[in-house]
Amino acid sequence: MKLPITYSDEVIQAMAADAPIVALESTIITHGMPYPQNVETARMIESELRSLNVTPATIAIMDGQIHIGLSDARLEALAQSKDVMKLSRADLAFAVANNKTGATTVAATMICAHLGGINVFATGGIGGVHRGAEDTFDISADLEELAKTPVIVVGAGAKAILDLPKTLEILETRGVPVITYGQDQLPAFWSRSSGLQSPLRADTPAEIAAAFTMRESLNLDGGMFVANPVPVKDEIRVKEMTPIVKQAISEANAQKISAKSVTPFLLQRIFELTDGRSLDCNIALVKNNAVLAAKIAKALKS
Ligand code: PSU
Ligand code: MN
């Protein structure tokens, strides 16, 4: 069966030249940021990658096609559309088979990137174990995907809306390396510190690339998570975020927000409660992650 994959022209050219490519997700566009900042950020990240001579491959499902690399018109259409599906491993095939349009989460983006032979992917943060998961069982499929699919995901840690110690425990159990770039402590998305020791630390892109290559040689399944701390000038300190996160979570509980709606609801409330500063921080950290992903993609080609 010929897979319903459409590559952008620049991705086709980069593949033919064996040049570095970095995958980008689309749920951050449709469910993670408001319009028009979502599409402006997506464009800014893509041009940042191009300026580093790395080809961006934004991934989304549109009318049943898996797009690896989106045209500007498609990016704009996706960013403006309401009620677009949020696709993870569980619903990806259903959406493709039935000509749906949907944004890909970290998990679904990893699956599609791997289908296209792309092994480096930059995002904001990954999903994880939600607080109260002992009652709700709400654990992101992103963690399971990292255990299965050989893609390096660069994020700014897991969001402070999650239970970070439990998230780290699951990643360890499932054999996912968590490598923090340039510091000993795991970063917590909007903040550089989480109070938790990172399982692994790397100070150069070459170390990260070498670890990935060795995982393949040792026949170890799965990907790696690279945690890249938000730049100092852009961070919102833990002390400031803690009460805001608590308030957003208690509102989500009071309003019985559940399943796929939890992460988008919390991000939107935190955006409001910080007067938009969480969004500025989010944009800065995604850019920082794209730059590191570009360096890793280049190191893998050298
Ligand atoms: N990081 C962001 N904004 C987002 C997400 C991550 O800065 O919107 C998305 C990613 O697509 C991630 C998803 O895969 O949230 C996790 O959702 P869930 O917890 O429902 O698995
Ligand atoms: Mn969930």
Side-chain angles (χ1 to χ4, degrees):
M1 178 192 177
K2 189 180 173 295
L3 294 177
I5 303 183
T6 303
Y7 297 95
S8 65
D9 290 342
E10 64 180 337
V11 167
I12 291 172
Q13 282 168 21
M15 283 174 169
D18 195 27
I21 301 173
V22 166
L24 301 164
E25 61 150 314
S26 44
T27 296
I28 188 168
I29 302 173
T30 56
H31 293 72
M33 293 184 186
Y35 183 83
Q37 288 96 335
N38 59 354
V39 67
E40 287 164 9
T41 303
R43 287 195 182 111
M44 181 270 286
I45 300 298
E46 290 198 348
S47 53
E48 182 71 26
L49 287 170
R50 290 187 193 106
S51 76
L52 298 167
N53 293 317
V54 171
T55 302
T58 301
I59 293 179
I61 310 306
M62 298 185 89
D63 304 316
Q65 281 289 312
I66 300 173
H67 285 271
I68 301 188
L70 280 187
S71 67
D72 195 66
R74 286 191 182 279
L75 200 63
E76 180 70 38
L78 193 72
Q80 284 197 34
S81 53
K82 308 249 184 308
D83 300 324
V84 70
M85 292 173 87
K86 173 181 163 187
L87 302 173
S88 191
R89 168 174 278 266
D91 23 40
L92 178 66
F94 180 90
V96 173
N98 294 289
N99 301 321
K100 307 282 188 204
T101 293
T104 51
T105 59
V106 168
T109 304
M110 289 177 75
I111 294 170
C112 298
H114 181 54
L115 279 173
I118 301 168
N119 52 20
V120 186
F121 161 24
T123 183
I126 57 168
V129 181
H130 280 265
R131 299 192 194 177
E134 54 276 30
D135 296 319
T136 61
F137 280 32
D138 189 352
I139 301 175
S140 176
D142 293 351
L143 302 183
E144 200 58 36
E145 206 58 51
L146 278 162
K148 246 184 243 176
T149 304
V151 171
I152 299 173
V153 179
V154 183
K159 285 179 221 98
I161 57 179
L162 301 168
D163 186 323
L164 296 180
K166 287 196 181 77
T167 301
L168 275 185
E169 289 297 341
I170 295 276
L171 288 168
E172 188 191 14
T173 302
R174 304 294 285 112
V176 178
V178 175
I179 306 173
T180 297
Y181 189 64
Q183 68 178 33
D184 293 326
Q185 223 183 101
L186 186 78
F189 202 71
W190 301 284
S191 318
R192 290 174 62 85
S193 51
S194 63
L196 298 169
Q197 179 84 10
S198 174
L200 298 164
R201 167 181 177 154
D203 292 285
T204 62
E207 289 169 77
I208 296 165
F212 187 72
T213 306
M214 185 56 72
R215 274 180 75 76
E216 278 176 349
S217 304
L218 298 177
N219 267 324
L220 297 173
D221 292 337
M224 309 199 313
F225 180 57
V226 175
N228 189 28
V230 59
V232 177
K233 66 177 186 347
D234 302 305
E235 87 164 320
I236 308 179
R237 305 293 288 265
V238 180
K239 229 178 107 188
E240 192 182 335
M241 281 314 286
T242 303
I244 289 171
V245 167
K246 277 205 177 118
Q247 183 179 338
I249 291 175
S250 72
E251 288 179 16
N253 291 339
Q255 294 178 43
K256 303 220 177 347
I257 306 291
S258 67
K260 280 174 187 278
S261 306
V262 174
T263 300
F265 176 90
L266 293 174
L267 290 177
Q268 174 61 26
R269 274 310 280 147
I270 290 166
F271 168 71
E272 291 158 7
L273 292 167
T274 59
D275 292 317
R277 283 173 55 233
S278 66
L279 180 60
D280 297 335
C281 176
N282 200 342
I283 293 168
L285 65 83
V286 179
K287 180 176 173 188
N288 190 48
N289 296 340
V291 172
L292 178 57
K295 291 178 185 165
I296 297 167
K298 285 181 177 174
L300 281 168
K301 295 287 180 194
S302 62

